[in-house]
Amino acid sequence: MSTVQQPDAKDRPARLTVGVVGAGRVGPALAASLQLAGHRPVAASGVSDASRRRAALMLPDVPVVAPSEVLERAELVLLTVPDDALPGLVQGLAETGAVRPGQLLVHTSGRYGTKVLGPALRAGALPLALHPAMTFTGTPVDVQRLAGCSFGVTAPEELRLAAEALVIEMGGEPEWIAEEMRPLYHAALALGANHLVTLVAESMELLRTAGIEAPDRMLGPLLGAALDNALRSGDAALTGPVARGDAGTVAAHVTELRRHAPQTVAGYLAMARATADRALAHGLLKPELAEDLLGVLAGGTDLPENGEER
């Protein structure tokens, strides 16, 4: 839980008008959180029907307008579009004269720092990169989840305090990320969070194939304990047949995956190799057991066809 104490919004006037360009899952939640801190959302833009519904749900009575009009109305503008769309959006807004001098322009991309806002900076905007390290649902629960959420913050030195203040007002915890480290920072988060969803979804599908009616109920306690152990102990929390060097069991796994879910084999082998490397490096996997295991993981031409242990 965050230890940051947020002033009650009723105890102070709204200080900044807030606009959202890109009413996806992130923008409306951040704007709603800023509203709780005393700021005033005044405009949002969204192209799809889903975006418009989301804006209506999270920011009732806030008009949905064109991006240029969002910038015209707001002192603080949240650019919450997909990473690959951000450079073109910034360039277009700057070229059309939509950016005003002194306007706070905040993007929420994990990949980029403030250099991507260069065209807006040249137009006089104040550039900030505030990336919430959180997964969003596009519903009001997201505002609650921001409490204690870490934000990757990148900003010019003279704007650092302003950037951190905005994060704290949203209930978050600012973490300074150097411009050149943004892609690595974002890769780390994607590896841990996005790939986790894929792994869990595949695991649930395999359990259903094995006859488990409620795979979520079975996995919940196991995965919760594994995550907690990993966050507390790192590689020391590694368990299972790969860390133990049980080559026969791993071979049996691969045989069954090829039979029932061949699309999962490549991912299983890749994660098993990475696990074996980490277990070896930290002394958990005995070298004398690693040879057979790594042979199984090397491509599998000698994998037993019937799943028998070697």
Side-chain angles (χ1 to χ4, degrees):
M1 292 292 292
S2 171
T3 58
V4 177
Q5 296 294 320
Q6 291 197 33
D8 195 313
K10 70 177 184 302
D11 293 334
R12 66 185 187 195
R15 292 169 301 148
L16 290 172
T17 53
V18 179
V20 178
V21 176
R25 297 182 180 183
V26 178
L30 297 188
S33 183
L34 287 169
Q35 185 174 33
L36 291 176
H39 301 284
R40 183 165 59 94
V42 293
S45 71
V47 177
S48 69
D49 290 340
S51 293
R52 292 173 178 273
R53 288 194 299 269
R54 194 176 295 115
L57 172 67
M58 302 285 287
L59 302 170
D61 302 323
V62 172
V64 177
V65 298
S68 60
E69 191 169 347
V70 173
L71 269 72
E72 182 180 335
R73 298 185 182 196
E75 298 163 310
L76 166 63
V77 179
L78 302 173
L79 303 180
T80 53
V81 298
D83 289 0
D84 287 353
L86 183 61
L89 172 66
V90 175
Q91 185 71 38
L93 291 173
E95 289 178 351
T96 58
V99 180
R100 303 198 312 273
Q103 192 168 44
L104 280 167
L105 214 56
V106 178
H107 79 70
T108 59
S109 166
R111 170 185 172 186
Y112 292 109
T114 56
K115 284 185 179 179
V116 72
L117 297 174
L121 174 63
R122 290 188 288 274
L126 306 178
L128 305 176
L130 307 180
H131 174 252
M134 177 57 62
T135 182
F136 289 79
T137 65
T139 65
V141 71
D142 294 332
V143 178
Q144 302 170 19
R145 287 180 174 176
L146 287 174
C149 167
S150 292
F151 279 68
V153 177
T154 305
E157 187 63 32
E158 62 272 19
L159 295 177
R160 179 168 178 163
L161 291 179
E164 292 179 341
L166 286 172
V167 170
I168 290 171
E169 285 188 321
M170 289 185 282
E173 300 284 353
E175 295 286 348
W176 187 255
I177 310 294
E179 178 84 28
E180 66 275 13
M181 289 298 175
R182 294 288 292 204
L184 181 61
Y185 151 79
H186 195 225
L189 296 182
L191 184 66
N194 303 154
H195 298 175
L196 176 63
V197 174
T198 301
L199 290 172
V200 173
E202 287 189 347
S203 180
M204 289 199 294
E205 288 176 357
L206 293 171
L207 287 172
R208 290 190 189 98
T209 302
I212 304 300
E213 294 184 357
D216 54 337
R217 189 168 65 232
M218 174 175 283
L219 285 174
L222 173 65
L223 298 186
L227 177 60
D228 184 63
N229 290 342
L231 292 175
R232 291 174 183 272
S233 304
D235 289 297
L238 285 172
T239 62
V242 173
R244 291 193 299 267
D246 292 341
T249 298
V250 173
H253 287 178
V254 176
T255 297
E256 290 304 302
L257 292 176
R258 283 179 171 163
R259 181 177 301 157
H260 296 287
Q263 73 279 4
T264 68
V265 172
Y268 179 96
L269 290 174
M271 291 303 300
R273 291 187 195 108
T275 301
D277 288 343
R278 299 191 74 88
L280 267 172
H282 290 81
L284 300 173
L285 174 58
K286 296 178 181 179
E288 61 270 23
L289 297 177
E291 184 176 356
D292 280 351
L293 174 66
L294 294 176
V296 169
L297 299 176
T301 56
D302 59 344
L303 288 176
E305 293 298 327
N306 59 3
E308 294 178 356
E309 294 190 12
R310 299 191 303 170

